[in-house]
Amino acid sequence: MRRILWVSALAALAGTAAHVGLAHAAGALEGQVDRQALNLAAIVMFFLFVIGTLGITYRAAMQTRSAADFYAAGGGITGFQNGLAIAGDYMSAASFLGISGLVFASGFDGLIYSIGFLVGWPVILFLIAERLRNLGKFTFADVASFRLEPTSIRILSATGTLVVVAFYLIAQMVGAGKLIELLFGLQYLYAVVIVGVLMIVYVAFGGMKATTWVQIIKACLLLAGASFMAIMVLVRYGFSPEAMFADAVRIHPRGDAIMAPGALVSDPVSAISLGLALMFGTAGLPHILMRFFTVSDAQAARKSVFYATGFIAYFYILTFIIGFGAITFLMTDDSFYHAGPGGVINRVGGLIGGTNMAAIHLANAVGGSLFLGFISAVAFATILAVVAGLTLAGASAVSHDLYAEVIARGRANEQREVRISKMTAVVIGIVAIILGYVFENQNVAFMVGLAFAVAASCNFPVLLMSVFWKGTTTRGSLIGGFLGLLSAVVMVVLSKAVWVQTLGFGEALFPYDNPALFSMTIAFVGIWLFSKMDSSAQAKSEQASFDAQYVRSETGIGAASAHIH
Amino acid sequence: MAEDAHLRVLNSPRFQELVRRRSGFAWTLSAIMLVIYFGFILLVAFAKPLLGMKVGGGVTSLGIVLGLFVIVAAFVLTGVYVRRANSEFDALTDRLKEEVQ
């Protein structure tokens, strides 16, 4: 392991230029990252963020009384604020560092991911958002169980939610631990515990209101920081992207190849499968779907998607510029690299901390150590905000879907349901800390992809079919949904990322990188087929109540004003 | 909702007009988005050299221009939908609500 020693933290606080030195430390462990000396500037700024957000949590806790307050911030979030919060859920550390790192390493290919993440939004707006609001109350299971048998549908939706939350959460926790070890010089375990404890506090005390505001504040900080970096890059080229691209092509070892699609998407099936998972996975992410219940009406829900799409689009354009900026600023400066054998520097993989650190190093290059501290603190805040949203979604699935509907059979009192939700948040936080610890040295990169694949193959088909197809029955949804869930998980386990790279077997049994094309088909065909074959009396009555659901989903007529108390 | 209430809405010409106009619009926009996006993905999969082609005499490639186009198109399409939904469709829904209540 190479250990990086950055300039002393006090000097960093005083704003002196950073000096990057290298020292060698022996005894590398697999999967361990370069740990940096304690970065005080970053820690102080992160500390300020935590103090501020804890203040907000305290205020939110004072105002949170009813279940609607806890799950949906009392419906008091505006369209603009919700747009920022949704964008915040999306602008995770993975997308900020990962995509700019991908652009840094291979140029154009980074754009393929950003576009896939973005294009789900218009489709959610056109087909899902409004109907979700008209039919549901707090979770997407409310919608799917509107006319289907609530107990089994909620078990299915809660399972889908918890599986997505679990994989997403593990990826975030491990990412958080590594990132903080790298950026702050804190030990992995401390970092994981800090993240776990803070997310419990935000969710258990402040509910959706605190979770939303943490997300909004972080989104503003991240957008501001990323804008500054992109502008500093463009200033160097007189705001001419062409000049920036030309310089990058000249500097990058792959030369002109970075302007065209490369090896990231190898075969058409993988390309389409990835596209489907990215596009429709978004429409099945429980922590995102919950956000549509935090605004006052359908108009605000639509506006929030419009703003969110705008912010996310802007953010991805920024990460693209940041990635190219990293090529032109970093690849010409040896101090950002550690040399390989014989003093040869690999201009891509040799970057200190790996290519995912491209944006962090660029922050140092364009803004000095104080700005580096700012961006590091924002990256930490980003993880915190995203895991808080995930925890709330998981806790709601347990309390609102499993406890209130399945265990208490709809007779739970509201206070007790909220209390269960808070307790679940504590349990999820503790489990997340343990899993984060257990998975420290595992390759978890596939887990976000798996979360998207499950969301696209279980939650999304069940939601879509129950709302759009009259023939959908409980039995059909159950079998199709579970088949989608199972097939997505099994195919990911048998694919290269897990079977070969994680479990160490020789040959991948599933040849493609992403299962969505197959698992989504299985889910949709399953729901259709088993609904068709279902001739029970229950199925008849479920199909007969489609009209009432249809009227309400299209107009909102009959919906109780669940969001205002 | 009472049994007859939703039937009254269902059979109302205003409801049928709302649903027809809105679904037509929403599905058309969804189709446009899908065609643009999967068109792009298929080009990435099958026509890598085409996307690497230079535009404007510099190093900027067709792929980058098209990629930015997809991003902008996603944003514009949501804007187009929200504009029409928040005026026309909401007005229709409000009138429908007055009618049945």
Side-chain angles (χ1 to χ4, degrees):
Chain A
M1 181 180 89
R2 281 196 179 266
R3 194 181 182 116
I4 323 149
L5 299 171
W6 296 61
V7 80
S8 88
L10 280 175
L13 260 181
T16 23
H19 163 79
V20 182
L22 290 172
H24 186 82
L29 286 167
E30 270 258 330
Q32 197 155 358
V33 294
D34 303 333
R35 186 155 90 232
Q36 172 184 328
L38 217 58
N39 183 337
L40 251 186
I43 289 174
V44 167
M45 277 185 261
F46 177 71
F47 194 63
L48 291 177
F49 174 83
V50 169
I51 301 265
T53 50
L54 286 179
I56 286 168
T57 308
Y58 179 76
R59 278 194 52 191
M62 295 289 108
Q63 296 163 355
T64 296
R65 286 183 192 90
S66 65
D69 288 334
F70 184 78
Y71 293 123
I77 307 289
T78 69
F80 182 79
Q81 291 163 347
N82 197 37
L84 263 175
I86 292 174
D89 271 327
Y90 240 59
M91 299 184 292
S92 61
S95 59
F96 176 55
L97 302 178
I99 292 181
S100 53
L102 202 55
V103 174
F104 172 79
S106 46
F108 176 85
D109 279 356
L111 205 56
I112 302 174
Y113 265 91
S114 337
I115 288 173
F117 282 124
L118 183 70
V119 291
W121 282 105
V123 177
I124 291 180
L125 172 67
F126 305 152
L127 303 179
I128 308 262
E130 221 164 303
R131 294 176 173 90
L132 197 71
R133 254 209 76 86
N134 287 338
L135 291 174
K137 207 169 158 197
F138 303 134
T139 63
F140 83 90
D142 292 338
V143 179
S145 63
F146 188 86
R147 71 187 162 101
L148 304 180
E149 199 272 307
T151 308
S152 40
I153 289 298
R154 287 198 191 259
I155 291 177
L156 170 68
S157 322
T159 310
T161 299
L162 290 173
V163 170
V164 170
V165 166
F167 286 125
Y168 220 135
L169 208 50
I170 293 175
Q172 295 286 336
M173 291 304 273
V174 174
K178 303 254 166 184
L179 190 69
I180 290 156
E181 194 172 17
L182 185 74
L183 296 179
F184 286 45
L186 278 178
Q187 288 224 341
Y188 179 86
L189 186 61
Y190 290 161
V192 167
V193 171
I194 290 173
V195 171
V197 169
L198 282 172
M199 81 189 194
I200 290 174
V201 171
Y202 290 148
V203 175
F205 292 102
M208 183 53 109
K209 197 168 276 177
T211 308
T212 302
W213 278 103
V214 169
Q215 200 57 274
I216 290 173
I217 293 170
K218 158 247 149 159
C220 293
L221 292 173
L222 184 55
L223 284 171
S227 299
F228 173 76
M229 286 164 72
I231 289 170
M232 292 304 283
V233 169
L234 287 174
V235 160
R236 190 192 226 190
Y237 296 103
F239 288 91
S240 155
E242 168 64 28
M244 176 183 78
F245 291 143
D247 211 23
V249 165
R250 187 177 56 79
I251 293 165
H252 201 287
R254 290 183 53 208
D256 198 38
I258 60 170
M259 303 304 288
L264 179 75
V265 180
S266 43
D267 62 294
V269 173
S270 289
I272 293 167
S273 206
L274 174 72
L276 284 172
L278 296 181
M279 188 168 198
F280 296 112
T282 309
L285 290 179
H287 63 300
I288 303 260
L289 294 176
M290 270 191 93
R291 294 218 173 273
F292 290 107
F293 302 115
T294 64
V295 290
S296 59
D297 54 25
Q299 279 213 343
R302 290 186 208 112
K303 278 187 198 155
S304 51
V305 183
F306 174 65
Y307 290 124
T309 313
F311 287 126
I312 297 168
Y314 172 67
F315 175 72
Y316 283 144
I317 291 173
L318 292 181
T319 54
F320 196 62
I321 297 170
I322 289 171
F324 271 93
I327 295 174
T328 63
F329 277 77
L330 306 181
M331 285 190 181
T332 47
D333 187 342
D334 287 352
S335 66
F336 292 108
Y337 289 87
H338 38 201
V344 182
I345 293 177
N346 176 341
R347 291 287 161 191
V348 177
L351 192 70
I352 293 169
T355 53
N356 281 346
M357 288 298 115
I360 301 289
H361 290 308
L362 182 67
N364 192 13
V366 300
S369 61
L370 200 61
F371 186 67
L372 170 76
F374 174 77
I375 284 291
S376 305
V378 170
F380 197 173
T382 293
I383 293 176
L384 209 49
V386 171
V387 293
L390 286 167
T391 305
L392 182 61
S396 311
V398 171
S399 61
H400 184 64
D401 296 333
L402 288 184
Y403 169 73
E405 196 59 52
V406 179
I407 298 170
R409 300 268 162 194
R411 289 191 299 267
N413 93 27
E414 200 178 289
Q415 293 308 319
R416 191 164 162 77
E417 185 185 320
V418 170
R419 204 158 57 236
I420 300 265
S421 205
K422 292 178 173 182
M423 279 153 52
T424 312
V426 175
V427 173
I428 293 179
I430 294 169
V431 171
I433 292 173
I434 295 171
L435 288 177
Y437 183 68
V438 170
F439 280 88
E440 176 178 355
N441 293 319
Q442 301 296 317
N443 171 14
V444 293
F446 67 89
M447 284 193 181
V448 170
L450 181 55
F452 267 80
V454 170
S457 319
C458 174
N459 306 358
F460 172 69
V462 169
L463 186 62
L464 196 81
M465 292 294 266
S466 73
V467 173
F468 281 98
W469 186 44
K470 184 172 184 163
T472 309
T473 71
T474 302
R475 195 188 298 167
S477 305
L478 268 185
I479 301 179
F482 274 117
L483 282 178
L485 173 70
L486 269 180
S487 58
V489 173
V490 168
M491 283 188 252
V492 169
V493 169
L494 298 182
S495 74
K496 202 171 119 204
V498 182
W499 196 250
V500 181
Q501 288 166 3
T502 308
L503 298 176
F505 291 105
E507 185 106 348
L509 299 178
F510 178 72
Y512 305 107
D513 299 333
N514 200 295
L517 179 59
F518 306 96
S519 53
M520 279 180 76
T521 311
I522 290 173
F524 276 108
V525 171
I527 295 174
W528 174 79
L529 186 68
F530 289 99
S531 295
K532 276 276 177 205
M533 283 163 51
D534 187 357
S535 54
S536 61
Q538 191 195 339
K540 294 273 182 306
S541 95
E542 284 164 4
Q543 288 161 342
S545 31
F546 180 80
D547 285 346
Q549 175 192 299
Y550 181 61
V551 164
R552 178 155 149 189
S553 79
E554 295 293 325
T555 61
I557 294 176
S561 48
H563 314 281
I564 304 144
H565 55 282
Chain B
M1 196 185 332
E3 183 67 15
D4 57 325
H6 82 257
L7 284 178
R8 221 169 50 204
V9 179
L10 202 64
N11 295 322
S12 141
R14 213 181 281 286
F15 175 73
Q16 286 159 3
E17 190 195 346
L18 168 73
V19 169
R20 201 189 61 241
R21 275 204 232 166
R22 187 173 51 199
S23 346
F25 189 53
W27 285 105
T28 308
L29 291 182
S30 305
I32 295 175
M33 192 69 247
L34 284 171
V35 166
I36 292 177
Y37 175 54
F38 283 100
F40 177 77
I41 288 289
L42 289 176
L43 285 179
V44 168
F46 288 109
K48 289 190 166 85
L50 177 73
L51 290 185
M53 213 176 71
K54 300 298 171 199
V55 289
V59 299
T60 308
S61 65
L62 184 64
I64 289 190
V65 176
L66 286 181
L68 287 177
F69 166 75
V70 180
I71 291 180
V72 172
F75 179 60
V76 170
L77 286 178
T78 56
V80 168
Y81 180 81
V82 170
R83 202 186 154 89
R84 189 162 167 203
N86 281 4
S87 53
E88 186 187 329
F89 300 150
D90 274 357
L92 264 174
T93 310
D94 288 344
R95 255 180 289 156
L96 177 68
K97 280 181 182 162
E98 278 166 28
E99 200 178 275
V100 296
Q101 270 157 11

